[in-house]
């Protein structure tokens, strides 16, 4: 008999599973809370459960988190974690420590099917979706590792960004289950306002994400015209800019909340003043902020980072148009942990 993986079950479904075993409903909250305590690895460690229930769970259910198979530390403090999954696949997640917070960049798929020309992850191809438990497991394992490290004792994970390997909205059901688990107060207790989901533009799922969760939306835009965006991002052939930006305008969110548009600046491709002016025009009437990401150069890819003066002019053009614009400094490039560089280099 196959065992039920408890790590992929939000609290209501975990409770339903226990009830199906003849267990009182209130035990669901107990078991769920135990799963997300640091360093719990066996049902026998859930000490307020009756021994018979511990044995029943051992026979009918399982819980195990992805194994940390490698760790690489950047000169700037960024940490890349390689995870080995139960089927032998590998994924990566990136911890970005800052003065006021620790942000974990989480993966949602093994590889990626989107084929963006500037991204090393896309060169891996698509292997499979992660389960909700494999998504949450990255958070659990890194949290436990932080608890063990005296150098940053007392500093917890407080920001999650779905900007690692894969397209989160292409793994929608498991993404939503993972978010439900992450924000459950009796578990990991993350605030939805501290979780950001990034998409390259799967238009039909954008509205659904806003209806089913209250997390932040980030959109990987990277060009303000269809010709350039199609060259960089094949998804634009199916969902062109007009459709994508319409979905963003209709995205349900509170008045003071804004969509984050990510724009990788690539030398000679999308970094001109005309590109900036067109971007300002296209984003008009969308509550947003813009993150500019100077391209992280990678071996085997033909693109280059613009010079600093070009980046500065691009930012100032958007400022003059009234936008909030940040240039995001590259973190972890020396360990291939920067944006677009995750390609399982830590796999043996």
């Amino acid at each position: 008999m196959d065992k039920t993986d408890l790590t992929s079950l939000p609290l209501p479904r975990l409770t339903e599973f226990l009830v199906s075993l003849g267990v009182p409903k209130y035990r669901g909250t107990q078991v769920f809370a135990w799963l997300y305590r640091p360093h719990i690895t066996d049902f026998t460690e859930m000490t307020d459960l009756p021994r018979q229930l511990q044995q029943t769970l051992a026979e009918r259910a399982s819980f195990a988190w992805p194994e940390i198979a490698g760790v690489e530390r950047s000169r700037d403090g960024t940490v890349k974690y390689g995870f080995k999954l139960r089927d032998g696949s590998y994924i990566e997640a990136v911890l970005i420590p800052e003065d006021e917070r620790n942000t974990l960049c989480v993966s949602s798929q093994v590889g990626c099917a989107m084929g963006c020309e500037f991204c090393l992850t896309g060169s891996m191809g698509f292997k499979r979706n992660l389960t909700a438990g494999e998504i949450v497991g990255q958070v659990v394992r890194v949290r436990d590792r932080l608890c063990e490290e005296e150098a940053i004792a007392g500093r917890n994970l407080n920001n999650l960004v779905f900007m690692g390997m894969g397209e989160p909205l292409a793994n929608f059901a498991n993404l939503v289950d993972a978010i439900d688990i992450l924000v459950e107060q009796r578990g990991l207790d993350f605030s939805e306002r501290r979780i950001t989901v990034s998409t390259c533009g799967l238009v039909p799922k954008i509205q659904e994400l806003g209806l089913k969760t209250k997390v932040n939306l980030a959109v990987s835009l990277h060009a303000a015209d269809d010709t350039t965006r199609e060259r960089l991002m094949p998804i634009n052939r199916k969902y062109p800019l007009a459709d994508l930006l319409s979905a963003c305008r209709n995205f349900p969110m509170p008045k003071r909340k804004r969509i984050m548009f990510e724009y990788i600046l690539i030398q000679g491709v999308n970094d001109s003043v005309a590109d900036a002016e067109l971007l300002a025009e296209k984003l008009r009437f969308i509550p947003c902020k813009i993150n500019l990401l100077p391209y992280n150069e990678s071996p085997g890819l033909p693109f280059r980072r613009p010079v600093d003066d070009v980046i500065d002019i691009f930012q100032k053009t958007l400022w003059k148009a009234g936008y909030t614009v940040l240039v995001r400094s590259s973190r972890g490039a020396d360990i291939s942990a920067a944006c677009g560089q995750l390609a399982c280099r830590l796999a043996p």
Side-chain angles (χ1 to χ4, degrees):
M1 179 186 296
D2 290 339
K3 295 184 177 182
T4 297
D5 177 13
L6 300 186
T7 67
S8 288
L9 299 182
L11 177 56
R13 295 220 306 272
L14 187 147
T15 301
E16 288 175 9
F17 169 69
L18 291 180
V19 169
S20 75
L21 300 180
V23 177
K25 187 175 181 180
Y26 75 89
R27 294 290 187 190
T29 301
Q30 283 182 294
V31 173
F32 188 91
W34 274 111
L35 290 176
Y36 298 100
R37 291 189 186 184
H39 307 297
I40 298 297
T41 59
D42 193 270
F43 291 114
T44 59
E45 296 172 306
M46 301 179 180
T47 52
D48 61 354
L49 301 184
R51 182 168 297 179
Q52 181 57 50
L53 176 53
Q54 293 176 356
Q55 292 173 350
T56 299
L57 288 172
E59 293 168 0
R60 301 290 300 275
S62 66
F63 73 99
W65 306 113
E67 170 193 344
I68 295 180
V71 179
E72 223 175 337
R73 298 179 185 275
S74 168
R75 291 186 297 269
D76 62 26
T78 301
V79 185
K80 181 167 69 172
Y81 295 90
F83 292 92
K84 183 179 180 181
L85 309 179
R86 277 176 284 184
D87 66 353
S89 299
Y90 286 84
I91 56 170
E92 293 177 338
V94 179
L95 175 68
I96 307 167
E98 298 174 278
D99 290 340
E100 301 297 326
R101 63 187 181 186
N102 282 325
T103 298
L104 187 66
C105 181
V106 179
S107 292
S108 55
Q109 296 179 313
V110 183
C112 185
M114 296 298 106
C116 298
E117 292 293 326
F118 50 80
C119 180
L120 277 179
T121 305
S123 68
M124 294 174 57
F126 174 71
K127 310 298 182 185
R128 66 172 177 86
N129 286 326
L130 296 183
T131 66
E134 289 169 334
I135 294 171
V136 174
Q138 298 166 67
V139 181
V140 170
R141 285 297 198 191
V142 173
R143 177 207 62 183
D144 289 355
R145 180 64 68 96
L146 288 179
C147 291
E148 295 169 357
E149 294 179 354
E150 294 182 7
I152 44 179
R155 290 183 56 193
N156 299 318
L157 282 178
N158 40 29
N159 258 40
L160 300 176
V161 293
F162 283 80
M163 299 179 181
M165 299 171 64
E167 164 55 53
L169 298 192
N171 186 15
F172 191 82
N174 291 337
L175 169 71
V176 171
D177 282 348
I179 291 170
D180 287 346
I181 293 167
L182 289 165
V183 302
E184 172 57 53
Q185 186 177 18
R186 285 151 291 194
L188 293 166
D189 194 23
F190 276 88
S191 167
E192 284 181 299
R193 64 188 178 87
R194 295 288 187 178
I195 299 175
T196 298
V197 172
S198 178
T199 179
C200 69
L202 267 65
V203 167
K205 293 297 182 182
I206 289 175
Q207 181 85 357
E208 195 174 352
L209 179 72
L211 293 173
K212 291 193 173 179
T213 77
K214 294 291 184 284
V215 299
N216 303 303
L217 174 66
V219 176
S220 297
L221 200 62
H222 311 320
D225 67 278
D226 283 316
T227 300
T228 305
R229 197 165 191 267
E230 284 177 17
R231 173 188 169 190
L232 296 174
M233 306 175 73
I235 190 67
N236 199 78
R237 296 169 197 146
K238 187 170 186 179
Y239 303 116
L241 273 169
D243 294 345
L244 173 58
L245 296 180
S246 176
C248 292
R249 288 188 185 94
N250 294 317
F251 184 71
M253 60 183 179
K255 286 185 179 180
R256 282 189 275 184
K257 208 168 187 178
R258 292 182 289 176
I259 294 171
M260 180 171 70
F261 286 100
E262 300 164 301
Y263 192 102
I264 291 178
L265 284 166
I266 303 173
Q267 184 183 82
V269 175
N270 64 354
D271 62 345
S272 70
V273 171
D275 289 318
E277 291 172 342
L278 183 59
L279 179 62
E281 178 186 332
K282 288 292 180 72
L283 298 187
R284 195 68 63 196
F285 307 121
I286 301 177
C288 67
K289 57 184 177 180
I290 303 168
N291 263 7
L292 300 178
L293 300 86
Y295 181 67
N296 297 303
E297 297 181 11
S298 300
L301 297 181
F303 303 112
R304 294 292 174 262
R305 181 189 191 276
V307 298
D308 289 343
D309 285 349
V310 170
I311 296 168
D312 185 55
I313 291 170
F314 198 98
Q315 182 183 33
K316 287 178 177 175
T317 302
L318 293 169
W319 274 344
K320 289 176 183 176
Y323 291 95
T324 299
V325 189
L326 302 174
V327 177
R328 199 164 89 190
S329 59
S330 180
R331 298 286 300 271
D334 57 316
I335 57 170
S336 297
C339 181
Q341 292 187 326
L342 297 185
C344 286
R345 201 175 78 174
L346 290 178

